[in-house]
Amino acid sequence: MRSHFLPLFLFLLLVACQPHPYRSSNKMQRQQLKQMIKNLKKEPLVPISDTIVQPPYWVGTTNFNWRRPGFVIIHHTAQNSCSQTLKTFITPAAQVSAHYVICKDGTVHHMLNDYLRANHAGISRWGNMTDINSLSIGIELDNNGFEPFDSLQINSLLSVLGNLKQQYNLPTANFIGHGDISPTRKNDPNFRFPWKLLAAKGFGLWYNDTLAPVPPDFNHLQALRIIGYDMRDTTSAIRAFKRHFLQDTTRKLTEVDKQVLFDLQRKYF
């Protein structure tokens, strides 16, 4: 019996002796969290002013909770490897991050607590919402932007999305791409991303197989606005829509595109 345990013991000993490549950045995150918790424990102060009546004592409400994420934003990393992305996200000067990084082989790095705010969306807009970072969870897929997404990676993504949807009771429509919320700046995840598959699993809306004719008074710009696109640059909004729902990167709406858009606006409305 003892001889059977020896190889396992040696393996565990070898693993334990391996240097942890992210030890210092993990320590830095723990220090930041410690400071945040310390700040949370402080009693809120009334601003000092002669015109404000100061209470004799502080009264703290017992009715509170964490701010809950309402959206999931999917990205591609636009880098050449998972390790390169991890390095970027632990570099303070980069000032970019995400909650999850999913490698090509399906490995999932949960880099930040879901309740904390990651720097993944940048300057963005969806409907009337502009501070998307404060409302969302960011998921980065290891992909340079010019290649298909590995099935192992997508399987892991579906698993993560299922957990997030259940845990935070996320609406089906609230699974979108970085290119959807930042159409003038971003195109991720690239047009090869399987949005239809995700929609079939309950992560994002999709159009019906049978499409109705478009009425003569159909306003395609208004329809894009109803879905959520930022219409300050209509060409970019159209391209973002076509990339997501038609796997097309061209700029003009065809009649079929308009039929898809007409069908979708009724689902988002």
Side-chain angles (χ1 to χ4, degrees):
M1 288 289 292
R2 190 172 299 176
S3 62
H4 292 293
F5 287 105
L6 183 59
L8 176 62
F9 172 76
L10 292 175
F11 173 76
L12 293 174
L13 182 63
L14 178 64
V15 170
C17 294
Q18 290 293 321
H20 190 325
Y22 303 105
R23 190 184 305 276
S24 60
S25 59
N26 287 353
K27 181 180 179 181
M28 187 181 301
Q29 187 188 83
R30 285 193 293 269
Q31 290 172 341
Q32 289 177 256
L33 288 171
K34 186 176 180 180
Q35 183 59 49
M36 290 176 68
I37 293 170
K38 184 178 179 180
N39 292 336
L40 280 172
K41 289 181 177 179
K42 291 180 180 179
E43 295 182 3
L45 298 175
V46 176
I48 301 299
S49 171
D50 294 339
T51 62
I52 297 178
V53 178
Q54 301 295 317
Y57 40 73
W58 172 61
V59 183
T61 181
T62 58
N63 305 317
F64 65 94
N65 207 330
W66 288 104
R67 296 179 186 267
R68 296 171 66 85
F71 288 82
V72 171
I73 310 300
I74 299 173
H75 309 249
H76 66 231
T77 59
Q79 296 190 309
N80 295 318
S81 68
C82 224
S83 59
Q84 184 181 6
T85 298
L86 296 176
K87 184 177 180 181
T88 299
F89 287 175
I90 64 171
T91 303
Q95 284 299 296
V96 290
S97 58
H99 295 87
Y100 297 84
V101 174
I102 304 181
C103 304
K104 290 185 177 69
D105 65 0
T107 301
V108 178
H109 294 273
H110 191 178
M111 299 191 71
L112 187 68
N113 188 295
D114 297 341
Y115 288 105
L116 298 177
R117 184 180 187 274
N119 298 331
H120 65 96
I123 300 172
S124 53
R125 185 185 187 96
W126 191 244
N128 294 324
M129 297 168 290
T130 55
D131 186 7
I132 307 297
N133 280 332
S134 295
L135 304 170
S136 65
I137 289 173
I139 300 179
E140 291 274 359
L141 302 176
D142 178 26
N143 184 295
N144 63 15
F146 302 98
E147 56 191 356
F149 295 84
D150 194 282
S151 60
L152 294 174
Q153 187 178 51
I154 296 301
N155 287 340
S156 291
L157 173 64
L158 292 171
S159 179
V160 171
L161 294 181
N163 290 334
L164 294 176
K165 186 175 185 179
Q166 181 178 19
Q167 184 173 354
Y168 303 116
N169 194 27
L170 298 174
T172 298
N174 290 9
F175 295 82
I176 50 182
H178 196 190
D180 295 314
I181 62 173
S182 301
T184 61
R185 302 187 305 113
K186 299 294 181 178
N187 65 353
D188 56 314
N190 71 57
F191 72 91
R192 299 173 181 85
F193 185 74
W195 283 113
K196 184 177 181 179
L197 171 63
L198 264 68
K201 301 291 185 180
F203 313 120
L205 297 182
W206 201 252
Y207 53 92
N208 296 326
D209 291 334
T210 302
L211 298 172
V214 177
D217 61 347
F218 176 61
N219 186 331
H220 65 277
L221 297 181
Q222 183 179 11
L224 288 168
R225 185 178 292 108
I226 288 171
I227 290 175
Y229 287 101
D230 182 355
M231 299 306 296
R232 288 176 294 181
D233 185 326
T234 56
T235 300
S236 295
I238 290 170
R239 292 187 72 178
F241 164 76
K242 294 187 66 171
R243 181 172 55 245
H244 184 130
F245 292 102
L246 296 149
Q247 293 192 305
D248 185 350
T249 59
T250 57
R251 303 184 178 196
K252 292 185 178 181
L253 288 174
T254 66
E255 288 305 310
V256 174
D257 299 341
K258 290 179 181 179
Q259 285 183 299
V260 170
L261 180 55
F262 175 62
D263 187 79
L264 281 166
Q265 74 158 358
R266 294 180 292 179
K267 297 176 185 290
Y268 279 89
F269 190 65

